Amino acid sequence: MKKVFTTFVMCLAVLAAAAQPAGGFGGFQQQVKLETSQEWKDVNYAGDDKAYHTCDIYLPKKQAAVYPVVIHIYGSAWFSNSSKGMADLGTIVKTLLDAGYAVVCPNHRSSMDAAWPAQLHDIRAVIRFVRGEAKKYHFDTSFIATSGFSSGGHLSSTAATTSGLKTATVGQVTLDLEGSLGAYTSQSSAVNAACDWSGPVDLTAMDCGEHMTMGANSPEDQLLRSKLDKEPDKYLGLSAVHYVNKNNPPVIIFHGEKDNVVPVCQGRKFYELLKAAGVKTEATFPAEGNHGGPQMYTDENLQKMVKFLNEVRTQKK
């Protein structure tokens, strides 16, 4: 039954993507030809034979000795383990490449493959891989950021707010936040900034506004193998907002006022908590913005992202 449900949800996402302009539901887009100097496809970042542990690497067309790095994560309500080839390539990825950033688009385990925090372990393995393989791929490891849309925004944000933490105890739940995937476990999995595009960041309060419902089991229920009323600590431990503190790296947030999948109150709460903690943050809430689509991926918003990342890099030096 779970497999049928997952297939149904992913079919809806693909159909919606085909029916919408670039951006679309879930951030999915038709494959585009990016202008790059070099590309590597299906690189395994964990040192195993799993397709869900592969990534695509893109270097900007304008060549340089090394490039700052953004790891961009697709959205799928955590249901997909193989959508790196449809991850906002024509919008977010293209814009970052044009601005001189190397972009790494990883797959990660789905909620059907493994329960949380396996997905965070995967993203942290990608970050360590970037540091461990910097020479081969011309990465400038003085700046590594995460970015993501929807559930990818959740993973990007959680990687940022837990940056530097190896474990966490949330009520009765103790979480391993780091994992042990790959050959570069001695490398840091910290990031220097994060971009959150429409991410669910407080999984204890998904009913804070209008949102998509998916039957008896929500995507977060599937991810945690639980229910909020039974094990609230698990849902708090899944939430990026729980880990907000003054030591978090800078975070920029984009969330549409008319998002009916992940309610805009999620982004608003994240922004207010980061600001209160003294973290460098910016937020844009497009009045006509929905869950993906052209109202979110405007040139103005995409350039805001680049400006923010550039400012973080400048202030870091």
Side-chain angles (χ1 to χ4, degrees), residues 156-234:
S156 171
S157 299
T158 308
T161 59
T162 64
S163 194
L165 297 177
K166 301 292 186 183
T167 62
T169 299
V170 185
Q172 301 299 311
V173 176
T174 298
L175 292 169
D176 170 13
L177 300 173
E178 188 68 34
S180 57
L181 286 172
Y184 298 107
T185 53
S186 63
Q187 296 286 347
S188 169
S189 62
V191 295
N192 302 108
C195 306
D196 169 22
W197 293 83
S198 311
V201 290
D202 184 356
L203 283 306
T204 70
M206 285 299 290
D207 59 354
C208 64
E210 182 183 358
H211 65 290
M212 180 178 286
T213 57
M214 296 185 180
N217 295 310
S218 68
E220 56 270 28
D221 293 344
Q222 302 266 15
L223 187 62
L224 293 171
R225 315 287 199 263
S226 191
K227 291 287 186 181
L228 178 59
D229 59 353
K230 292 182 179 178
E231 295 183 287
D233 292 340
K234 282 190 174 182

Side-chain angles (χ1 to χ4, degrees), residues 19-248:
Q20 294 186 19
F25 180 90
F28 291 151
Q29 299 163 13
Q30 294 180 349
Q31 292 193 2
V32 298
K33 178 61 178 175
L34 296 169
E35 293 189 345
T36 61
S37 59
Q38 283 185 280
E39 299 180 11
W40 294 265
K41 298 294 182 71
D42 300 320
V43 178
N44 193 290
Y45 60 80
D48 57 22
D49 62 351
K50 304 299 185 183
Y52 54 54
H53 283 152
T54 58
C55 64
D56 295 341
I57 300 168
Y58 305 95
L59 299 187
K61 183 177 181 180
K62 185 177 180 180
Q63 296 188 39
V66 292
Y67 307 89
V69 183
V70 178
I71 297 163
H72 184 68
I73 310 160
Y74 57 82
S76 69
W78 307 284
F79 285 131
S80 176
N81 63 12
S82 58
S83 293
K84 60 181 173 58
M86 297 187 290
D88 307 292
L89 297 186
T91 51
I92 295 171
V93 173
K94 180 183 183 301
T95 300
L96 290 168
L97 287 170
D98 290 347
Y101 288 87
V103 182
V104 178
C105 294
N107 283 335
H108 60 76
R109 281 172 286 181
S110 72
S111 56
M112 299 297 101
D113 297 311
W116 179 262
Q119 295 71 26
L120 180 59
H121 293 172
D122 291 350
I123 300 308
R124 287 194 158 191
V126 177
I127 299 165
R128 296 194 302 265
F129 173 86
V130 166
R131 289 194 165 92
E133 295 283 356
K135 186 175 181 180
K136 178 176 181 179
Y137 296 107
H138 309 287
F139 295 143
D140 176 2
T141 59
S142 70
F143 186 84
I144 302 172
T146 52
S147 172
F149 174 80
S150 196
S151 61
H154 163 266
L155 290 172
S156 171
S157 299
T158 308
T161 59
T162 64
S163 194
L165 297 177
K166 301 292 186 183
T167 62
T169 299
V170 185
Q172 301 299 311
V173 176
T174 298
L175 292 169
D176 170 13
L177 300 173
E178 188 68 34
S180 57
L181 286 172
Y184 298 107
T185 53
S186 63
Q187 296 286 347
S188 169
S189 62
V191 295
N192 302 108
C195 306
D196 169 22
W197 293 83
S198 311
V201 290
D202 184 356
L203 283 306
T204 70
M206 285 299 290
D207 59 354
C208 64
E210 182 183 358
H211 65 290
M212 180 178 286
T213 57
M214 296 185 180
N217 295 310
S218 68
E220 56 270 28
D221 293 344
Q222 302 266 15
L223 187 62
L224 293 171
R225 315 287 199 263
S226 191
K227 291 287 186 181
L228 178 59
D229 59 353
K230 292 182 179 178
E231 295 183 287
D233 292 340
K234 282 190 174 182
Y235 290 75
L236 192 58
L238 177 62
S239 302
V241 297
H242 174 70
Y243 305 99
V244 169
N245 66 81
K246 65 180 181 179
N247 298 316
N248 290 164

